[in-house]
């Protein structure tokens, strides 16, 4: 029995990739009972289930052939007992399968139906294929990231898939659950990565509107354009991140580095080319770890740039348990944290279809055996 703030909430997740499974993982971390419904062929995929399948941790796994009437009928029976359904298909797919919002809300008027797409449910590109990089390209986010004299830099798929996508789907689901508790009526949540990414750019657009941001790359406050908010290479070819924006932090930075510059001229742009040269030269004099030791615990706002594997061993992250290792796989702990209803990462992702019988039994659903066989799945829907 989970103790998170969403304990008792039942979520049906239609199996997909990227932001949808991430949203399901986050809901599971928060205590919801998440059942992932997969197509039969996923059982043959090597990355499905097991310790490395971090995005499916804390969930139970059911296999249904939703292209077959028996499979879609069984899903609708689960929907009758669910609080939330999330799906990440292209617009119109679930409608064609007979499990769209109209079908599901007719069975369960309190249901929150979360839809995760890149382009949204409507608009000229709604039916087009895409990926994180294409979504953030059209919002302006990608074009704003990178050096002034280089191409845009891809910020992994954090900004689109997970920041503007999965996180916004969860925000929408939680808000709709709150409304359903108050009104007794569910609704559809249309979470589009382009919408979420644009929303994440609110502060940047505000600065652009105040002429505090130039619509070009690598010349602004948070894109490396300011020399005291940038990354510098160290003697060993590694890097230090400098974020000394405020005056008192900048004073600490120049004092610790003994740069010999006037800290009161921090925002005198005529001094910035020389300041950047001095910072580049000084950081190249020591290794990253030597600089990290010097700056540790100071107010200079300087930190070593760690690799993913190094991050798990950093004393601060280790003390908080921000990352942990399970079965040899480093993964994030549940976030955020709660004082009264603590959340926690759920069990390792089970094999695909391992919980089919148990889920239908526990949810009190009497579903027929599928007419289409479930290949390589550990279990089928019970009689």
């Amino acid at each position: 029995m989970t103790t998170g703030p969403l304990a008792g909430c039942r979520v049906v997740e239609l199996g997909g990739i990227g932001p949808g499974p991430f949203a399901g993982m986050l809901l599971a971390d928060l205590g919801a009972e998440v059942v992932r419904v997969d197509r039969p062929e996923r059982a043959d995929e090597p990355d499905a289930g097991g310790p490395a399948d971090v995005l499916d941790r804390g969930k139970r796994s059911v296999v249904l052939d939703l292209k077959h009437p028996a499979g879609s009928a069984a899903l609708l029976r689960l929907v009758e007992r669910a609080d939330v359904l999330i799906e990440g298909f292209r617009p119109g797919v679930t409608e064609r399968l007979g499990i769209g919002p109209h079908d599901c809300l007719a069975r369960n008027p309190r249901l929150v139906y979360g839809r995760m797409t890149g382009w949204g449910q409507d608009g000229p590109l709604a039916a087009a294929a895409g990926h994180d990089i294409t979504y953030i390209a059209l919002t302006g986010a990608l074009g704003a990231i990178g050096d002034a004299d280089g191409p845009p830099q891809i910020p992994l798929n954090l900004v689109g898939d997970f920041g503007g996508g999965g996180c916004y789907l969860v925000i929408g689901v939680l808000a709709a659950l709150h409304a359903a508790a108050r009104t007794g009526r569910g609704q559809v949540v249309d979470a589009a990565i382009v919408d979420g990414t644009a929303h994440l750019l609110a502060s940047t657009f505000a600065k652009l509107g105040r002429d505090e941001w130039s619509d070009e790359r690598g010349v602004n406050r948070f894109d490396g354009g300011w020399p005291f908010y940038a990354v510098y290479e160290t003697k060993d070819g590694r890097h230090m991140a400098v974020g000394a924006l405020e005056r008192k932090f900048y004073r600490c930075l120049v004092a610790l580095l003994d740069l010999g510059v006037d800290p009161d001229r921090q925002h005198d742009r005529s001094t910035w080319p020389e300041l950047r040269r001095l910072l580049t030269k000084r950081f190249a004099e020591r290794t990253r770890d030597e600089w990290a030791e010097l700056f540790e615990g100071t107010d200079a706002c300087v930190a070593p740039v760690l690799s993913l594997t190094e991050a798990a061993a950093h004393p601060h992250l280790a003390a908080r348990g921000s990352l942990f290792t399970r079965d040899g796989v480093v993964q994030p702990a549940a976030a955020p944290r709660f004082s009264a209803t603590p959340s926690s990462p759920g069990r390792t992702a089970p094999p695909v279809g391992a919980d089919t019988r148990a889920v239908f039994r526990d949810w009190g659903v009497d579903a027929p055996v599928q007419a289409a066989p479930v290949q390589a799945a550990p279990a089928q829907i019970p009689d």
Side-chain angles (χ1 to χ4, degrees):
M1 181 67 68
T2 59
T3 60
L6 290 182
C9 177
R10 286 177 167 176
V11 179
V12 173
E13 174 195 325
L14 302 188
I17 60 173
F22 174 74
M25 182 202 76
L26 180 48
L27 293 170
D29 285 353
L30 295 175
E33 180 184 353
V34 180
V35 172
R36 174 169 170 135
V37 178
D38 270 309
R39 64 193 188 283
E41 55 268 27
R42 187 168 186 256
D44 297 324
E45 297 177 1
D47 60 344
D53 193 358
V54 175
L55 294 186
D56 280 343
R57 73 183 186 194
K59 305 174 186 178
R60 295 207 282 177
S61 176
V62 166
V63 166
L64 292 174
D65 184 357
L66 297 178
K67 295 180 180 179
H68 193 282
S72 58
L75 177 72
L76 289 174
R77 289 181 177 263
L78 289 177
V79 164
E80 291 175 356
R81 308 297 177 91
D83 300 292
V84 178
L85 180 144
I86 57 178
E87 60 95 356
F89 298 117
R90 293 199 204 188
V93 171
T94 58
E95 285 85 350
R96 291 195 296 272
L97 294 173
I99 53 173
H102 177 78
D103 306 288
C104 290
L105 287 166
R107 295 291 191 101
N108 182 355
R110 296 177 61 92
L111 182 74
V112 172
Y113 195 106
R115 317 196 79 170
M116 182 77 260
T117 59
W119 305 114
Q121 295 297 313
D122 52 45
L125 293 176
H131 271 300
D132 176 285
I133 192 171
T134 53
Y135 307 137
I136 67 173
L138 258 64
T139 62
L142 181 59
I145 301 172
D147 294 333
D149 57 353
Q153 295 297 304
I154 304 169
L156 304 184
N157 58 340
L158 299 178
V159 175
D161 280 351
F162 301 118
C167 283
Y168 274 85
L169 175 59
V170 171
I171 292 169
V173 163
L174 297 180
L177 279 172
H178 179 74
R182 188 178 69 254
T183 66
R185 296 192 305 275
Q187 59 184 300
V188 178
V189 177
D190 175 6
I193 294 174
V194 289
D195 296 346
T197 302
H199 201 257
L200 288 172
L201 288 166
S203 176
T204 306
F205 278 115
K207 292 179 178 65
L208 185 65
R210 293 194 299 265
D211 292 327
E212 296 174 1
W213 189 274
S214 176
D215 197 12
E216 52 186 307
R217 196 165 44 252
V219 298
N220 296 288
R221 182 185 307 180
F222 297 120
D223 61 5
W226 292 16
F228 39 86
Y229 196 92
V231 174
Y232 292 94
E233 187 173 351
T234 57
K235 184 179 181 179
D236 54 350
R238 297 181 178 182
H239 296 86
M240 295 294 289
V242 176
L245 285 176
E246 292 81 1
R247 182 181 298 274
K248 61 181 179 180
F249 302 150
Y250 180 71
R251 283 182 174 275
C252 183
L253 172 72
V254 298
L256 285 171
L257 291 178
D258 191 23
L259 291 180
V261 300
D262 182 358
D264 291 330
R265 299 185 66 187
Q266 177 184 5
H267 293 286
D268 181 351
R269 291 175 179 259
S270 68
T271 69
W272 284 6
E274 176 62 11
L275 175 61
R276 192 180 293 273
R277 187 190 70 80
L278 289 173
L279 287 167
T280 300
K281 181 175 181 295
R282 185 55 50 87
F283 276 111
E285 293 173 357
R286 301 187 190 182
T287 66
R288 184 199 65 181
D289 292 346
E290 289 172 337
W291 285 122
E293 184 177 359
L294 174 69
F295 283 105
E296 183 79 21
T298 72
D299 280 350
C301 295
V302 177
V305 178
L306 303 181
S307 70
L308 292 172
T309 51
E310 289 176 318
H314 190 275
H316 182 78
L317 298 184
R320 287 186 57 81
S322 302
L323 295 166
F324 70 98
T325 302
R326 177 194 286 167
D327 296 325
V329 178
V330 177
Q331 55 193 284
R337 305 181 184 197
F338 301 86
S339 61
T341 55
S343 57
S344 62
R347 65 171 186 169
T348 296
V352 175
D355 305 301
T356 307
R357 292 184 185 276
V359 167
F360 279 92
R361 181 189 66 239
D362 295 347
W363 285 31
V365 175
D366 183 18
V369 175
Q370 292 176 213
V374 180
Q375 299 293 334
Q380 296 189 21
I381 304 172
D383 292 324

